[in-house]
Amino acid sequence: MIAIELIPHSKLEADADFQALVAEYSEECSIVGMPETNRDYEQYERFEQAGFSRMFAAYNDEKLIGFLVLLVSPNPHYGCKIGTIESIFVGAEYRKSGAGLKLLKAAEDTAKGSRRNRAAFKGYDYKTSRKASKTSSRMLALVFHLLRIPLSSI
């Protein structure tokens, strides 16, 4: 059974499965032209302490199988906070388990926490703004909402 938790960065880092998952993520998701990944654990801690990040973990029973990092930043143009997914990853063995969508849903639920955000989510029709295949439309909708919706509840 897949479970999602909003957890402190220190708990994620302390999980015995996390380092292997990060290594798999780094290998699969490196960007051509960028330097090798060099995670700054202290920066993640500082972001969390300042209220600029949220960490979500996906578990299959007790085993960590995925994670999502939501960065929260002020947007002076709109006078609110905006959420951006910095990273999302599910280990290869657990893909197609629904863990990735559950991570996105947890981040979306966090973003939708206030009445103002629920109204904005309800009123936005991503299908008219984004072309998406049937298989990826839900994921695109969640990501697109997270990039565009104020996070006043965070």
Side-chain angles (χ1 to χ4, degrees):
M1 167 120 175
I2 306 297
I4 306 299
E5 280 185 44
L6 175 62
I7 63 171
H9 181 258
S10 58
K11 182 177 177 183
L12 189 61
E13 293 289 341
D15 191 297
D17 298 314
F18 184 65
Q19 295 308 321
L21 205 55
V22 167
E24 185 180 354
Y25 169 69
S26 295
E27 186 176 318
E28 283 187 31
C29 299
S30 60
I31 299 171
V32 175
M34 293 291 289
E36 286 188 36
T37 57
N38 185 18
R39 287 179 45 92
D40 185 344
Y41 299 104
E42 291 176 7
Q43 185 68 26
Y44 280 104
E45 286 284 335
R46 287 191 296 272
F47 274 27
E48 182 179 59
Q49 290 168 4
F52 294 140
S53 72
R54 301 290 184 277
M55 309 278 180
F56 297 87
Y59 294 95
N60 183 32
D61 296 322
E62 299 293 316
K63 180 177 177 52
L64 178 68
I65 62 166
F67 60 88
L68 182 146
V69 179
L70 180 67
L71 296 182
V72 180
S73 60
N75 183 308
H77 183 74
Y78 291 104
C80 64
K81 294 178 182 176
I82 300 292
T84 304
I85 295 174
E86 186 262 347
S87 54
I88 180 171
F89 187 75
V90 175
E93 183 180 341
Y94 294 94
R95 301 210 180 122
K96 299 194 183 249
S97 68
L101 283 176
K102 286 184 177 187
L103 283 164
L104 286 170
K105 180 76 170 113
E108 178 185 37
D109 288 348
T110 297
K112 289 168 60 173
S114 73
R115 277 191 188 147
R116 176 179 169 195
N117 288 343
R118 281 194 295 274
F121 271 80
K122 185 177 179 183
Y124 182 77
D125 182 3
Y126 72 91
K127 290 179 183 175
T128 60
S129 298
R130 296 285 258 183
K131 291 183 179 179
S133 70
K134 288 182 181 179
T135 56
S136 64
S137 63
R138 175 79 175 144
M139 183 177 289
L140 282 175
L142 294 173
V143 172
F144 194 67
H145 286 315
L146 288 169
L147 294 174
R148 302 279 191 247
I149 298 301
L151 301 175
S152 58
S153 65
I154 293 181

Coordinates of all heavy atoms in Angstrom, one line a residue, residues 19-68:
Q19 N 19.4 7.6 0.3 CA 20.7 7.8 -0.5 C 20.6 7.0 -1.8 O 21.0 7.5 -2.9 CB 21.9 7.5 0.3 CG 22.1 8.4 1.5 CD 22.1 9.9 1.1 OE1 22.6 10.3 0.1 NE2 21.4 10.7 2.0
A20 N 20.2 5.8 -1.8 CA 20.1 5.0 -3.0 C 19.1 5.6 -3.9 O 19.3 5.6 -5.2 CB 19.7 3.5 -2.6
L21 N 18.0 6.1 -3.4 CA 17.0 6.7 -4.3 C 17.5 8.0 -4.9 O 17.3 8.2 -6.1 CB 15.7 7.0 -3.4 CG 14.4 7.2 -4.1 CD1 14.0 5.9 -4.9 CD2 13.3 7.4 -3.0
V22 N 18.3 8.8 -4.2 CA 18.9 10.0 -4.7 C 19.9 9.7 -5.8 O 20.0 10.3 -6.8 CB 19.5 10.9 -3.6 CG1 20.4 12.0 -4.2 CG2 18.4 11.5 -2.8
A23 N 20.7 8.6 -5.6 CA 21.6 8.2 -6.6 C 20.9 7.7 -7.9 O 21.3 8.1 -9.0 CB 22.5 7.0 -6.1
E24 N 19.8 7.0 -7.8 CA 19.0 6.6 -8.9 C 18.5 7.8 -9.6 O 18.5 7.9 -10.9 CB 17.9 5.6 -8.5 CG 17.1 5.1 -9.6 CD 16.0 4.1 -9.1 OE1 15.9 3.8 -7.9 OE2 15.2 3.7 -10.0
Y25 N 17.9 8.7 -8.8 CA 17.4 10.0 -9.4 C 18.4 10.8 -10.1 O 18.2 11.2 -11.3 CB 16.8 10.8 -8.2 CG 16.4 12.2 -8.6 CD1 15.3 12.5 -9.4 CD2 17.1 13.3 -8.0 CE1 15.0 13.8 -9.7 CE2 16.8 14.6 -8.3 CZ 15.7 14.9 -9.2 OH 15.3 16.2 -9.4
S26 N 19.6 10.9 -9.5 CA 20.7 11.7 -10.2 C 21.1 11.1 -11.5 O 21.4 11.8 -12.4 CB 21.9 11.8 -9.2 OG 21.5 12.6 -8.1
E27 N 21.2 9.8 -11.5 CA 21.6 9.1 -12.7 C 20.6 9.2 -13.8 O 20.9 9.5 -15.0 CB 21.8 7.6 -12.4 CG 22.4 6.8 -13.6 CD 22.7 5.4 -13.2 OE1 23.2 5.1 -12.2 OE2 22.4 4.5 -14.1
E28 N 19.3 9.1 -13.5 CA 18.3 9.2 -14.5 C 17.9 10.6 -14.9 O 17.5 10.8 -16.1 CB 17.0 8.5 -14.0 CG 17.0 7.0 -14.0 CD 15.7 6.4 -13.6 OE1 14.6 7.0 -13.9 OE2 15.6 5.3 -13.1
C29 N 18.0 11.5 -14.0 CA 17.4 12.8 -14.3 C 18.5 13.9 -14.5 O 18.1 15.1 -14.4 CB 16.5 13.2 -13.1 SG 15.2 12.0 -13.0
S30 N 19.7 13.6 -14.7 CA 20.7 14.6 -14.9 C 20.4 15.4 -16.2 O 19.9 14.8 -17.2 CB 22.1 14.0 -14.9 OG 22.2 13.1 -16.0
I31 N 20.7 16.6 -16.3 CA 20.4 17.5 -17.4 C 21.7 17.7 -18.2 O 22.7 18.2 -17.6 CB 19.9 18.8 -16.9 CG1 18.6 18.6 -16.1 CG2 19.6 19.8 -18.1 CD1 18.0 19.8 -15.4
V32 N 21.7 17.5 -19.5 CA 22.8 17.6 -20.4 C 23.2 19.1 -20.3 O 22.4 20.0 -20.4 CB 22.4 17.2 -21.8 CG1 23.6 17.5 -22.8 CG2 22.1 15.8 -21.9
G33 N 24.5 19.3 -20.1 CA 25.1 20.7 -20.1 C 25.2 21.2 -18.7 O 25.8 22.2 -18.5
M34 N 24.6 20.5 -17.7 CA 24.7 21.0 -16.3 C 25.8 20.2 -15.6 O 26.1 19.0 -16.1 CB 23.4 20.7 -15.6 CG 22.2 21.6 -16.0 SD 22.4 23.3 -15.6 CE 22.2 23.3 -13.9
P35 N 26.4 20.7 -14.6 CA 27.4 19.9 -13.8 C 26.7 18.7 -13.2 O 25.5 18.6 -13.1 CB 27.9 20.9 -12.8 CG 26.9 22.0 -12.7 CD 26.2 22.0 -14.0
E36 N 27.6 17.8 -12.7 CA 27.0 16.6 -11.9 C 26.3 17.1 -10.7 O 26.6 18.2 -10.2 CB 28.2 15.7 -11.5 CG 28.8 14.9 -12.6 CD 29.7 13.9 -12.1 OE1 29.5 13.3 -11.0 OE2 30.7 13.7 -12.8
T37 N 25.3 16.4 -10.3 CA 24.5 16.8 -9.1 C 25.4 16.8 -7.9 O 26.3 16.0 -7.8 CB 23.3 15.8 -8.9 OG1 23.8 14.5 -8.7 CG2 22.3 15.9 -10.0
N38 N 25.2 17.8 -7.1 CA 25.9 18.0 -5.9 C 25.0 18.6 -4.8 O 25.0 19.8 -4.6 CB 27.1 18.9 -6.1 CG 28.0 19.1 -4.9 OD1 27.9 18.3 -4.0 ND2 28.8 20.2 -4.9
R39 N 24.1 17.7 -4.3 CA 23.0 18.2 -3.4 C 23.6 18.9 -2.2 O 24.5 18.5 -1.6 CB 22.3 17.0 -2.9 CG 21.3 16.4 -3.9 CD 20.6 15.2 -3.4 NE 20.0 15.4 -2.0 CZ 18.8 15.8 -1.8 NH1 18.0 16.1 -2.8 NH2 18.4 16.0 -0.6
D40 N 23.0 20.1 -2.0 CA 23.4 20.9 -0.8 C 22.4 20.7 0.3 O 21.4 21.4 0.4 CB 23.5 22.4 -1.3 CG 24.0 23.3 -0.2 OD1 24.0 22.9 1.0 OD2 24.3 24.5 -0.5
Y41 N 22.7 19.7 1.1 CA 21.7 19.3 2.2 C 21.4 20.5 3.1 O 20.3 20.6 3.6 CB 22.3 18.1 3.0 CG 22.5 16.9 2.1 CD1 23.7 16.5 1.6 CD2 21.3 16.2 1.6 CE1 23.9 15.4 0.8 CE2 21.5 15.1 0.8 CZ 22.8 14.7 0.4 OH 22.9 13.6 -0.4
E42 N 22.5 21.2 3.4 CA 22.3 22.4 4.3 C 21.3 23.4 3.7 O 20.5 24.0 4.5 CB 23.6 23.0 4.7 CG 24.5 22.1 5.6 CD 25.8 22.7 5.9 OE1 26.1 23.8 5.5 OE2 26.6 21.9 6.5
Q43 N 21.4 23.6 2.4 CA 20.5 24.6 1.8 C 19.1 24.1 1.9 O 18.1 24.9 2.1 CB 20.9 24.8 0.3 CG 20.1 25.8 -0.4 CD 20.4 27.2 0.2 OE1 21.4 27.5 0.7 NE2 19.4 28.1 0.0
Y44 N 18.8 22.8 1.7 CA 17.5 22.2 1.8 C 17.0 22.5 3.2 O 15.8 22.9 3.4 CB 17.4 20.7 1.5 CG 17.4 20.4 0.0 CD1 18.5 20.0 -0.6 CD2 16.2 20.6 -0.7 CE1 18.5 19.7 -2.0 CE2 16.2 20.3 -2.1 CZ 17.3 19.8 -2.7 OH 17.3 19.5 -4.0
E45 N 17.8 22.3 4.2 CA 17.4 22.5 5.6 C 17.1 24.0 5.8 O 16.1 24.3 6.5 CB 18.6 22.2 6.6 CG 18.8 20.7 6.7 CD 17.7 20.0 7.7 OE1 17.1 20.8 8.5 OE2 17.5 18.8 7.5
R46 N 17.9 24.9 5.3 CA 17.7 26.4 5.4 C 16.4 26.8 4.8 O 15.6 27.5 5.3 CB 18.8 27.2 4.9 CG 20.1 27.1 5.8 CD 21.1 28.1 5.4 NE 21.7 27.9 4.1 CZ 22.7 27.1 3.8 NH1 23.4 26.5 4.8 NH2 23.1 27.0 2.6
F47 N 16.1 26.2 3.6 CA 14.9 26.5 2.9 C 13.7 26.1 3.7 O 12.7 26.8 3.8 CB 14.8 25.8 1.5 CG 15.5 26.5 0.4 CD1 16.5 27.4 0.6 CD2 15.1 26.3 -0.9 CE1 17.1 28.1 -0.4 CE2 15.6 27.0 -2.0 CZ 16.7 27.9 -1.7
E48 N 13.8 24.9 4.3 CA 12.7 24.4 5.1 C 12.4 25.2 6.3 O 11.3 25.6 6.6 CB 12.9 22.9 5.5 CG 11.8 22.3 6.3 CD 12.1 20.9 6.7 OE1 13.2 20.6 7.4 OE2 11.4 20.0 6.3
Q49 N 13.5 25.6 7.0 CA 13.4 26.4 8.2 C 12.8 27.8 7.9 O 12.1 28.4 8.7 CB 14.8 26.5 8.9 CG 15.2 25.2 9.5 CD 16.7 25.2 9.9 OE1 17.4 26.2 9.8 NE2 17.2 24.1 10.4
A50 N 13.1 28.3 6.7 CA 12.6 29.6 6.3 C 11.2 29.5 5.7 O 10.6 30.5 5.4 CB 13.5 30.2 5.3
G51 N 10.6 28.3 5.6 CA 9.3 28.1 5.1 C 9.3 28.1 3.5 O 8.2 28.3 3.0
F52 N 10.4 27.9 2.9 CA 10.5 27.9 1.4 C 10.4 26.6 0.8 O 10.5 26.5 -0.4 CB 11.7 28.6 1.0 CG 11.8 30.1 1.3 CD1 13.0 30.7 1.7 CD2 10.7 30.9 1.2 CE1 13.0 32.0 2.0 CE2 10.7 32.2 1.5 CZ 11.9 32.8 1.9
S53 N 10.2 25.5 1.6 CA 10.1 24.2 0.9 C 9.3 23.3 1.8 O 9.2 23.4 3.0 CB 11.5 23.6 0.7 OG 12.1 23.2 1.9
R54 N 8.7 22.3 1.1 CA 8.0 21.2 1.7 C 8.5 19.9 1.1 O 8.7 19.8 -0.2 CB 6.5 21.3 1.4 CG 5.8 22.6 1.9 CD 5.8 22.6 3.5 NE 5.1 23.8 3.9 CZ 5.6 25.0 4.1 NH1 6.9 25.2 3.8 NH2 4.9 26.0 4.6
M55 N 8.7 18.9 1.9 CA 9.2 17.6 1.4 C 8.1 16.5 1.6 O 7.5 16.4 2.7 CB 10.4 17.1 2.2 CG 11.5 18.1 2.3 SD 12.5 18.1 0.8 CE 13.7 19.3 1.2
F56 N 7.8 15.8 0.5 CA 6.8 14.7 0.6 C 7.6 13.4 0.3 O 8.4 13.3 -0.6 CB 5.8 14.9 -0.5 CG 5.0 16.2 -0.3 CD1 5.4 17.4 -0.8 CD2 3.8 16.1 0.4 CE1 4.6 18.5 -0.6 CE2 3.0 17.3 0.6 CZ 3.4 18.5 0.1
A57 N 7.2 12.4 1.0 CA 7.8 11.0 0.8 C 6.7 10.0 0.5 O 5.6 10.1 1.1 CB 8.6 10.6 2.1
A58 N 7.0 9.1 -0.4 CA 6.1 8.0 -0.8 C 6.7 6.8 -0.2 O 7.9 6.5 -0.4 CB 6.0 7.9 -2.3
Y59 N 5.9 6.0 0.5 CA 6.3 4.8 1.1 C 5.4 3.6 0.6 O 4.2 3.8 0.4 CB 6.1 4.8 2.6 CG 7.0 5.8 3.3 CD1 6.6 7.1 3.6 CD2 8.3 5.5 3.7 CE1 7.5 8.0 4.2 CE2 9.2 6.4 4.3 CZ 8.7 7.6 4.5 OH 9.6 8.5 5.1
N60 N 6.1 2.5 0.4 CA 5.4 1.2 0.2 C 5.6 0.4 1.4 O 6.7 0.0 1.7 CB 6.0 0.5 -1.0 CG 5.2 -0.8 -1.3 OD1 4.0 -0.9 -1.1 ND2 5.9 -1.8 -1.9
D61 N 4.6 0.3 2.2 CA 4.7 -0.2 3.6 C 5.6 0.8 4.3 O 5.4 1.9 4.5 CB 5.1 -1.6 3.6 CG 4.0 -2.5 3.0 OD1 2.8 -2.2 3.2 OD2 4.3 -3.5 2.3
E62 N 6.8 0.3 4.8 CA 7.7 1.1 5.5 C 8.9 1.6 4.6 O 9.8 2.4 5.0 CB 8.3 0.4 6.7 CG 7.3 0.0 7.7 CD 6.6 1.1 8.4 OE1 7.4 2.1 8.8 OE2 5.4 1.2 8.5
K63 N 9.0 1.2 3.4 CA 10.1 1.4 2.5 C 9.9 2.7 1.7 O 8.8 2.9 1.0 CB 10.3 0.3 1.5 CG 11.4 0.5 0.5 CD 11.6 -0.7 -0.3 CE 12.7 -0.5 -1.4 NZ 14.0 -0.1 -0.8
L64 N 10.8 3.6 1.8 CA 10.8 4.9 1.0 C 11.0 4.5 -0.5 O 12.0 3.9 -0.9 CB 11.9 5.8 1.4 CG 12.0 7.1 0.7 CD1 10.8 8.0 0.9 CD2 13.3 7.9 1.1
I65 N 10.0 4.9 -1.3 CA 10.1 4.6 -2.8 C 10.1 5.8 -3.7 O 10.3 5.7 -4.9 CB 9.0 3.6 -3.2 CG1 7.6 4.3 -3.0 CG2 9.1 2.3 -2.4 CD1 6.5 3.6 -3.6
G66 N 9.9 7.0 -3.1 CA 9.8 8.2 -3.9 C 9.8 9.5 -3.1 O 9.6 9.4 -1.9
F67 N 9.9 10.6 -3.7 CA 9.9 11.9 -3.0 C 9.5 13.0 -4.0 O 9.6 12.9 -5.2 CB 11.3 12.2 -2.4 CG 12.4 12.3 -3.3 CD1 12.7 13.5 -4.0 CD2 13.2 11.2 -3.6 CE1 13.8 13.6 -4.9 CE2 14.2 11.2 -4.5 CZ 14.5 12.4 -5.1
L68 N 9.1 14.1 -3.4 CA 8.7 15.3 -4.1 C 9.2 16.5 -3.2 O 8.9 16.5 -2.0 CB 7.2 15.4 -4.4 CG 6.8 16.6 -5.2 CD1 5.6 16.2 -6.1 CD2 6.4 17.8 -4.3

